[in-house]
Amino acid sequence: MQPSVPSPAPSSEPSPVPSAEAPSAASAASSPVAAPAAVAPRFDERLTAPRSWWFIAGLLGLSGGLVMFPLGTVATLGGLIVAAVLAGAAVSSYGSARVRVVAGSLVAGDARIPVSALGAAEVLDEEEARAWRTHKADPRAFMLMRSYVPRAVRVEITDPTDPTPYVYLSSREPEALVAALDSVRAES
């Protein structure tokens, strides 16, 4: 087994802990339907929103409270809480996109692409990433881009039945993503 590429950001998922309810390895092997083994991701990155966006979400919450201020204290607190929760949920949702290489697949947001259907992966610096987001972009491409992540990876799709020419993925660690894809491709 080859060493895995370290994850650029710590995962917020809890690690599996054996419990009394989980079947033992011996009983799982003897059962007709064995549970699939957990596969550690080769690369796992969450494209979290920057701190400044959270600050802006807090200011939106404050403005919600100020809008409700003429209606009294309870309305002010209600406006503050509702606006802050809505703004925080929007920032959290936008910043929850993940890019992973796991179980022989590239998982980017909602897309799951087998590595066997992928071609060459190219690390894009800030200037090239901007060009592929704008004037070089193909409308058929799958793009998981975040404006606050300046670098990216472009991976060609080699599956002849797929009309998608390439996948564009924002990444803070594009070299590690390309290395993970190359290592999975080399194993298969």
Side-chain angles (χ1 to χ4, degrees):
M1 184 167 155
Q2 294 183 359
S4 63
V5 176
S7 175
S11 176
S12 63
E13 294 178 358
S15 62
V17 177
S19 67
E21 298 174 13
S24 67
S27 65
S30 64
S31 68
V33 179
V39 178
R42 298 287 178 106
F43 179 83
D44 190 1
E45 179 180 17
R46 184 176 303 272
L47 301 175
T48 56
R51 290 186 187 125
S52 61
W53 287 32
W54 289 102
F55 179 71
I56 293 169
L59 290 177
L60 287 172
L62 182 62
S63 68
L66 289 174
V67 166
M68 301 303 283
F69 183 73
L71 302 177
T73 306
V74 174
T76 300
L77 287 175
L80 174 82
I81 291 169
V82 169
V85 166
L86 289 175
V91 170
S92 176
S93 172
Y94 192 71
S96 68
R98 289 181 79 177
V99 178
R100 300 169 34 151
V101 177
V102 62
S105 296
L106 171 64
V107 181
D110 295 332
R112 184 177 194 95
I113 308 163
V115 173
S116 60
L118 297 176
E122 174 187 4
V123 174
L124 304 174
D125 62 7
E126 293 181 29
E127 186 177 317
E128 274 296 306
R130 186 177 307 110
W132 281 102
R133 283 192 308 261
T134 57
H135 65 276
K136 286 186 176 180
D138 188 326
R140 299 171 301 153
F142 176 79
M143 299 181 116
L144 179 65
M145 60 183 159
R146 295 297 183 256
S147 61
Y148 48 82
V149 180
R151 297 174 63 203
V153 173
R154 190 178 73 84
V155 186
E156 294 189 23
I157 304 288
T158 58
D159 184 3
T161 62
D162 191 351
T164 308
Y166 61 89
V167 177
Y168 174 98
L169 305 169
S170 292
S171 177
R172 290 185 176 98
E173 295 292 331
E175 293 87 3
L177 175 56
V178 170
L181 289 170
D182 289 343
S183 71
V184 169
R185 189 176 296 114
E187 285 180 4
S188 42

